[in-house]
Amino acid sequence: MRAECTACGAELKMNERPMRYQCACGGLLRIVHDFSQVDSERLKRVFDERRGLRNCLYASGVWRYKELIAPELPEREAVTRNEGNTGLYEAEPVRQYVGAIRRLHLKAQSENPSGSFKDNGMAVAVSHGRWLGYTSFACASTGNTSSSLSMYAAILGKQSVVLVPGSEVSPNKVLQTVGYGAEVRTFAGTYDDGIRWLRDHAEEQGCYVCNSINPLRIEGQKSIIFELAHDMNWQLPDWIVLPGGALSNAAALGQGLSDLYALGFIDKLPRVAVIQAEGASPFHRMAARGSQQLVPEPKPSTRASALNIGHPPSWPKALRMLEMTSGVTAAVSDAEIMEAKACIDRSGIGCEPASAAAVSGLRKLVREGIVSRDETAACILTGSMLKDTDALREFHLEGKWRASELASQLMNPIRSLA
Ligand SMILES: *Cc1c(COP(=O)(O)O)cnc(C)c1O
Ligand SMILES: [Zn+2]
């Protein structure tokens, strides 16, 4: 397995220790595959056959596409909890909400085993770490990354370590991680300090780091677009819309689309829209300026906790993806996000606040005429409704997000029988 630096082009081996997370020049790494021997038509048939499987590695919605993700990884090293295989829905209230475009699909990554799309990438990263002989897995995060990491470590009976800045421990977010058995450790500093500490000390501690700069995470997350394309019989919609925080998902979407196009699985690239929360939108602001240089936001602030990131590490890859797909960006307010979430919840699909940013952003793009009503779109719903039950309490019981008439209509307070 090989990687190349996206900044200087240096080549690195990825099948030996120590694991490399970045190039010596500081650039992001990208896994490179030799697809010259791939027979796309044969592979399509293989993928189709695997969709009928159950209870085996290739029944996974990630490992089904192993040939395009980690062909060299020995099968016995791959860990799975039947991740991927998420539903693709057409919800009429949500289609109406975004402005009655021709067709809208929702890809519910919330149906992953730990409740978010992080499982698509984590299954591959943890498997890669196991292949290299690591016995401990670490990240600096309290959100869905740490839940996913600790779930896979628990399945393997291995240790997981999660670093949390002392000032940011919110029991609400770390409990799932605690339940899976991770060692959660607080420290004085920021997330960036935590990631730096891991970069400098993980190896001596025998630890494999699973934060999103790990290029294997990106390889695994490519399966989201592979599965979506497969579900749609390799005919993607005009637009794919997703929320952007650390921008790993945007980067993975770009790599996945580029693979599918190069191999002839799809004959046209969809346009991609990355939606950020207004209070944490450095990528959107860069794109709106027409700039190629991201200016970090020192104090990001949004209710959509999974998007509360001021310095998204994968922005250079996300920018390349935008250029490749003639993509666009948008930013939406927390009130808009919560209104869209209430609509998605009410449609019976449900999601966490960060995911609703995609739907809210699509509604904005339709209103601005950037997405036209006779186009089709798919929104990636990244995480589960149960990840943030406080958001439900705030909206429905406390009336905290009643910023619009529609939000008031969607409120569903609990009333006494009498
Ligand atoms: C991680 C996450 C995001 C943001 O994805 P990035 O790859 O960091 O841009 C959005 N929604 C949910 C639910 C997440 O867990
Ligand atoms: Zn480099």
Side-chain angles (χ1 to χ4, degrees):
M1 192 180 278
R2 288 182 309 121
E4 98 189 349
C5 170
T6 56
C8 77
E11 285 209 12
L12 289 84
K13 280 194 182 157
M14 297 301 280
N15 51 352
E16 58 189 28
R17 286 172 75 163
M19 170 63 183
R20 305 285 295 277
Y21 305 97
Q22 266 176 302
C23 178
C25 82
L28 293 171
L29 298 182
R30 184 175 79 86
I31 303 294
V32 284
H33 300 289
D34 175 9
F35 286 147
S36 60
Q37 302 304 311
V38 169
D39 174 343
S40 303
E41 286 310 312
R42 193 194 67 85
L43 210 49
K44 267 189 195 174
R45 285 195 298 275
V46 170
F47 294 161
D48 279 343
E49 282 161 19
R50 288 178 185 164
R51 275 221 283 212
L53 297 173
R54 281 182 64 78
N55 300 321
C56 69
L57 183 65
Y58 293 107
S60 152
V62 172
W63 296 114
R64 178 180 306 132
Y65 309 103
K66 183 173 181 294
E67 285 83 351
L68 305 182
I69 290 173
E72 307 90 338
L73 185 96
E75 267 181 42
R76 63 176 183 279
E77 306 289 357
V79 59
T80 184
R81 236 211 86 187
N82 199 37
E83 53 286 315
N85 292 318
T86 59
L88 184 67
Y89 304 104
E90 290 186 82
E92 183 59 16
V94 184
R95 188 181 75 89
Q96 292 297 339
Y97 179 72
V98 301
I101 58 171
R102 183 147 63 87
R103 215 161 167 195
L104 174 67
H105 282 92
L106 303 174
K107 179 71 170 156
Q109 291 307 106
S110 45
E111 293 172 356
N112 267 297
S114 85
S116 83
F117 80 84
K118 299 298 194 294
D119 294 343
N120 292 66
M122 205 59 78
V124 175
V126 169
S127 300
H128 180 252
R130 179 199 206 187
W131 182 33
L132 300 190
Y134 290 89
T135 52
S136 176
F137 298 85
C139 70
S141 153
T142 41
N144 294 333
T145 297
S146 64
S147 307
S148 183
L149 167 69
S150 53
M151 180 187 77
Y152 284 107
I155 287 169
L156 294 178
K158 306 233 188 255
Q159 184 190 41
S160 53
V161 180
V162 172
L163 300 185
V164 188
S167 59
E168 302 214 15
V169 192
S170 118
N172 202 15
K173 290 195 208 163
V174 291
L175 285 176
Q176 190 181 6
T177 304
V178 170
Y180 286 131
E183 294 178 18
V184 179
R185 299 289 176 257
T186 59
F187 65 96
T190 65
Y191 277 110
D192 281 344
D193 297 332
I195 290 170
R196 210 166 306 123
W197 190 89
L198 283 175
R199 200 183 55 207
D200 297 340
H201 299 281
E203 191 62 29
E204 73 196 35
Q205 311 265 332
C207 247
Y208 180 90
V209 182
C210 294
N211 279 98
S212 69
I213 50 166
N214 181 325
L216 276 305
R217 286 263 314 269
I218 308 287
E219 285 307 290
Q221 284 171 203
K222 290 191 317 193
S223 61
I224 299 169
I225 189 69
F226 294 168
E227 192 175 81
L228 177 66
H230 197 179
D231 285 346
M232 303 187 80
N233 204 18
W234 311 107
Q235 304 284 318
L236 285 167
D238 299 314
W239 288 90
I240 295 179
V241 189
L242 77 169
L247 298 171
S248 75
N249 218 5
L253 188 60
Q255 190 59 56
L257 284 172
S258 139
D259 290 352
L260 290 179
Y261 191 70
L263 288 165
F265 280 72
I266 56 174
D267 51 21
K268 153 175 169 285
L269 287 173
R271 295 182 73 187
V272 175
V274 178
I275 316 299
Q276 295 204 290
E278 270 171 10
S281 53
F283 187 68
H284 167 64
R285 283 187 286 111
M286 174 185 76
R289 280 197 311 273
S291 158
Q292 305 259 329
Q293 188 55 48
L294 184 122
V295 180
E297 210 153 81
K299 289 196 165 58
S301 167
T302 169
R303 180 62 186 77
S305 54
L307 305 182
N308 201 26
I309 294 166
H311 194 175
S314 292
W315 73 264
K317 287 183 176 178
L319 179 60
R320 205 153 317 124
M321 180 282 290
L322 273 194
E323 289 164 356
M324 178 182 86
T325 65
S326 307
V328 301
T329 64
V332 288
S333 71
D334 284 0
E336 290 171 316
I337 287 172
M338 297 302 255
E339 183 194 87
K341 174 183 149 55
C343 175
I344 298 159
D345 290 351
R346 183 70 72 91
S347 79
I349 310 292
C351 65
E352 72 168 271
S355 318
V359 168
S360 180
L362 176 57
R363 175 177 160 100
K364 182 166 274 184
L365 294 170
V366 171
R367 288 192 165 177
E368 289 171 355
I370 295 167
V371 173
S372 114
R373 285 201 167 73
D374 53 45
E375 288 185 302
T376 59
C379 290
I380 312 291
L381 298 184
T382 47
S384 151
M385 184 175 177
L386 291 177
K387 283 282 191 175
D388 191 342
T389 48
D390 278 351
L392 293 164
R393 190 169 40 72
E394 289 167 21
F395 190 94
H396 295 288
L397 307 188
E398 295 171 2
K400 188 171 170 190
W401 300 101
R402 215 172 356 180
S404 66
E405 194 173 323
L406 181 61
S408 299
Q409 283 166 16
L410 285 166
M411 248 186 89
N412 184 23
I414 298 174
R415 294 199 178 89
S416 75
L417 186 58

